[in-house]
Each structure stands twice: as C-alpha cells, then as structure tokens.
Amino acid sequence: MNNLKLEYNISEEDLISYFNQNNERFDLPEKRVVYNIYKNKTGNTETLKKTMNSLRERALNGENIMLLAKQNSESETRHSNGLIGTLKKGDFSPEFDNIIFNLEKNIPSDVINTKNGYHIFYVPDIFEKKKFEFDEVKNMLQLELSKQKKQDFIKIEALKLTPEESLTIPNICLLYTSPSPRDGLL
C-alpha cells in the first residue's frame, strides 16, 4: 500500500455536477430563534388569562421576555430562560408554525389558548432563507470530492490486497511502555 500513488483530477464539470446533484444541501430554510412563556390549564381559567395577558403587556412595555419566562413559565424551557430553540418550519405543529413564522421580530405573540395551556411566543432573531450559489461553495465541494476520491481509491486498492500483503496493526501499548528492570534495559 505504501507504494501506491493516488492520482485523480477533479474538473470544474465534476464540481458543477456534484453541486447540481446535491443542490438541496445548499438551500437553507428560514429559521427563527423562539422563546415562550407557558402556563398549564390548572386553576381558574380567567385568572390564567389575566396573568398571561399581563405578562404579554409587560413584554410589550420593554421587560425582558427571557426573565419573564424564567420567573413565570411552567414549561421546562424556563430553565433556559424560555428558549425553545432555533426552529425551521415543520419543527413544530402546523398551528404553531403558522403563529411563529408570522410573528414580527421582537413582538410577543398574542396569548394562545391550547387544550393544555396558554402560550406566548417571542422571536428575537430571524435567519432569512439562503440559497448558496456554486461559487460560494466551490472550495467546500472541492474538499468533499477530494475526500470521496481518496476513500474510493483506498477501498479499491484494499480489495486488491492478497493474504500475504494483509495489513497488521502494531500493538500500540508496546510502543509506549517504559522499560522495566526485568527487561535488562536499565
């Protein structure tokens, strides 16, 4: 194997073909950073609605939604200041997707009533949909194709090995052990 030379050429046409075959990888959907405040439907419904509307008003008036979520939410997300995560369409139910992906940046949603409880969603960051062009990813494609060619070459050459040329892996532990007095090396 040591005597083998890896020779290959990746042409511009190869890169363009690879780009076209994998085009969907270079289409990034819109993503949104989403926070929420949640209250379970336990207790007096009218009190819950008033509490949630008050929290929404406080957020609209400039209070930090993350602090409000941490202090008031009954969701597990309260431990991360209300952060649900960075979401793309389809990560949530169609109903919540519709709400989240129609929110304006930095404006809390209306209070949303579901069978389980009440929600307020908040989107502080929007990452717009992005389609990368060939020239923007050409170097990455070159690296990927180069790696793929090397792997294919090694697989083909490994299949050509005869049993007497089989590969042995040295015991790495023996290479890094210190000599002991019984080895007669000290």
Side-chain angles (χ1 to χ4, degrees), residues 10-11 20 25 36 39 41 59 68 81 86 93 109 111 119 127-128 140 143 148 157-158 161 163 167 185:
I10 300 174
S11 68
N20 290 334
R25 285 183 44 213
N36 82 325
K39 290 282 190 186
K41 275 191 177 175
L68 290 172
N81 300 325
T86 302
S93 69
S109 71
V111 175
H119 303 263
F127 302 102
E128 298 296 330
M140 183 182 76
L143 290 172
Q148 184 179 355
E157 293 303 319
L161 286 175
L167 191 58
L185 298 172

Side-chain angles (χ1 to χ4, degrees), residues 8-19 134 138 141-142 145-146 149:
Y8 61 89
N9 183 20
I10 300 174
S11 68
E12 185 86 6
E13 292 78 31
D14 292 336
L15 293 171
I16 292 170
S17 175
Y18 187 76
F19 175 77
F134 174 75
K138 183 178 177 179
L141 297 173
Q142 180 78 34
L145 277 177
S146 178
K149 295 261 187 193

Side-chain angles (χ1 to χ4, degrees), residues 93-158:
S93 69
E95 175 190 20
F96 283 156
D97 271 357
N98 187 42
I99 294 162
I100 290 166
F101 284 88
N102 284 307
L103 277 178
E104 289 182 47
K105 185 176 173 180
N106 297 318
I107 305 291
S109 71
D110 290 332
V111 175
I112 298 144
N113 181 0
T114 65
K115 67 179 181 176
N116 297 322
Y118 296 94
H119 303 263
I120 298 170
F121 291 106
Y122 180 77
V123 175
D125 284 310
I126 299 172
F127 302 102
E128 298 296 330
K129 180 179 178 177
K130 170 84 171 131
K131 171 149 180 59
F132 288 94
E133 299 300 325
F134 174 75
D135 289 336
E136 295 174 291
V137 295
K138 183 178 177 179
N139 290 340
M140 183 182 76
L141 297 173
Q142 180 78 34
L143 290 172
E144 283 184 24
L145 277 177
S146 178
K147 180 180 174 183
Q148 184 179 355
K149 295 261 187 193
K150 288 175 187 175
Q151 288 173 342
D152 292 346
F153 176 80
I154 291 170
K155 286 177 188 175
I156 291 167
E157 293 303 319

